[in-house]
Amino acid sequence: MGAEINNYPIEKTENYKNMINGAISSLSKVQLSNWTAKQAYIGLGALICAASEQQIDICPMEGFDKEKFDEILGLKERNLTSACIGAVGYRSEEDTNQFLKKVRKPIEELFETI
Amino acid sequence: MGAEINNYPIEKTENYKNMINGAISSLSKVQLSNWTAKQAYIGLGALICAASEQQIDICPMEGFDKEKFDEILGLKERNLTSACIGAVGYRSEEDTNQFLKKVRKPIEELFETI
Ligand SMILES: Cc1cc2nc3c(=O)[nH]c(=O)nc-3n(C[C@H](O)[C@H](O)[C@H](O)COP(=O)(O)O)c2cc1C
Ligand SMILES: Cc1cc2nc3c(=O)[nH]c(=O)nc-3n(C[C@H](O)[C@H](O)[C@H](O)COP(=O)(O)O)c2cc1C
């Protein structure tokens, strides 16, 4: 895809392609699924930022029934799995949680400068 | 921490605490490290967005020598591990890669509306 977009000979990507394919094919199914899930979490981080910037709430969730989600969304047939959920929307006026203070670690604890 | 910040009795969090502790303690060391890494990738996503919004470049990287990083940063003694790297900075004028077109999957391929 990169070769096509930037108009360089596909042969030049051969070594890179082999390196990537080698690295990926050496991963077990569980390792592969953890790796792709992590990449999905980068997107989840972007979604959280984009939503909150527009004052839209988002609730990122794990701990759901992945098997069931995959089944309902027909992901298995496509060799895909669900990694995480982000429920996006405007908060209800009746939601009492919105009045709670946010629970966040203090910056000094979260970051470290070396 | 939530109880303290929002001023509700700590006893009320007992069931929730037990549920979370139960879920976490049932994870193997590898599962735990994958789970915490995923949470770190949410932050990586936020970092990518924050940097690019300010026209600062960031190069998220995996595939580095985690053992060596942990050693150099003294993470092991603190029961921490490195998950991912993000090199942040302004691009060099001499960097020829900056003139390449970005390689991105088309939106229609990346998102699906159901
Ligand atoms: C059903 C449900 C499942 C959740 N699962 C996870 C999880 O697995 N991992 C996690 O870090 N947060 C999880 N959360 C927490 C939310 O993502 C979020 O942090 C929480 O609602 C508090 O958001 P706030 O601190 O911005 O108000 C879950 C929340 C809900 C309601
Ligand atoms: C040394 C190095 C290691 C990288 N490792 C990974 C990786 O493990 N996973 C990944 O998704 N991208 C990895 N990347 C790719 C970069 O994060 C980034 O996508 C790439 O530099 C292209 O960025 P651009 O498309 O915004 O120009 C790596 C890049 C470099 C230079």
Side-chain angles (χ1 to χ4, degrees):
Chain A
M1 193 168 156
E4 207 178 293
I5 289 179
N6 278 300
N7 211 25
Y8 53 78
I10 190 95
E11 309 84 66
K12 283 209 169 170
T13 66
E14 201 63 34
N15 281 343
Y16 184 62
K17 193 179 95 182
N18 291 340
M19 189 195 79
I20 298 283
N21 282 344
I24 288 178
S25 63
S26 75
L27 297 177
S28 73
K29 211 167 167 176
V30 172
Q31 286 175 318
L32 202 58
S33 129
N34 273 312
W35 177 61
T36 50
K38 285 176 192 169
Q39 306 290 322
Y41 273 68
I42 300 179
L44 180 62
L47 176 62
I48 294 172
C49 293
S52 57
E53 218 167 52
Q54 312 212 27
Q55 316 241 39
I56 299 169
D57 285 342
I58 160 156
C59 182
M61 289 177 269
E62 283 183 344
F64 57 96
D65 188 337
K66 293 194 185 194
E67 295 276 316
K68 211 78 202 154
F69 258 75
D70 293 354
E71 192 189 309
I72 292 168
L73 296 171
L75 297 182
K76 209 174 171 182
E77 301 90 275
R78 300 163 62 192
N79 207 19
L80 296 170
T81 51
S82 51
C84 48
I85 314 179
V88 178
Y90 294 100
R91 66 183 66 175
S92 158
E93 276 177 34
E94 282 146 45
D95 173 19
T96 52
N97 282 323
Q98 65 184 294
F99 305 113
L100 294 178
K101 286 193 204 112
K102 287 287 175 191
V103 179
R104 299 289 184 262
K105 284 202 173 161
I107 283 184
E108 312 83 60
E109 205 179 304
L110 203 54
F111 295 98
E112 215 168 293
T113 312
I114 49 174
Chain B
M1 192 166 156
E4 206 178 294
I5 289 179
N6 279 299
N7 210 27
Y8 52 79
I10 190 93
E11 308 84 66
K12 281 208 171 171
T13 66
E14 200 62 36
N15 281 344
Y16 184 62
K17 194 180 96 182
N18 290 340
M19 189 194 79
I20 299 284
N21 281 344
I24 288 177
S25 64
S26 76
L27 297 177
S28 74
K29 211 167 165 173
V30 171
Q31 285 176 317
L32 201 58
S33 129
N34 273 313
W35 177 61
T36 51
K38 284 176 194 170
Q39 306 290 324
Y41 274 67
I42 299 179
L44 181 63
L47 176 62
I48 294 171
C49 293
S52 57
E53 220 167 52
Q54 312 211 26
Q55 315 240 38
I56 298 169
D57 283 344
I58 161 156
C59 182
M61 290 177 270
E62 284 184 344
F64 57 97
D65 188 337
K66 293 193 186 194
E67 295 274 318
K68 212 78 200 151
F69 259 76
D70 293 353
E71 192 188 308
I72 292 167
L73 295 172
L75 297 182
K76 210 174 171 181
E77 302 91 276
R78 300 164 62 192
N79 207 18
L80 297 170
T81 51
S82 53
C84 48
I85 314 180
V88 178
Y90 294 101
R91 65 183 65 174
S92 157
E93 275 178 34
E94 282 146 46
D95 173 19
T96 51
N97 282 323
Q98 65 185 295
F99 305 113
L100 294 177
K101 285 195 205 113
K102 288 286 174 191
V103 179
R104 300 288 184 262
K105 285 204 172 160
I107 282 184
E108 312 82 61
E109 206 179 304
L110 204 55
F111 294 99
E112 215 167 292
T113 312
I114 48 173

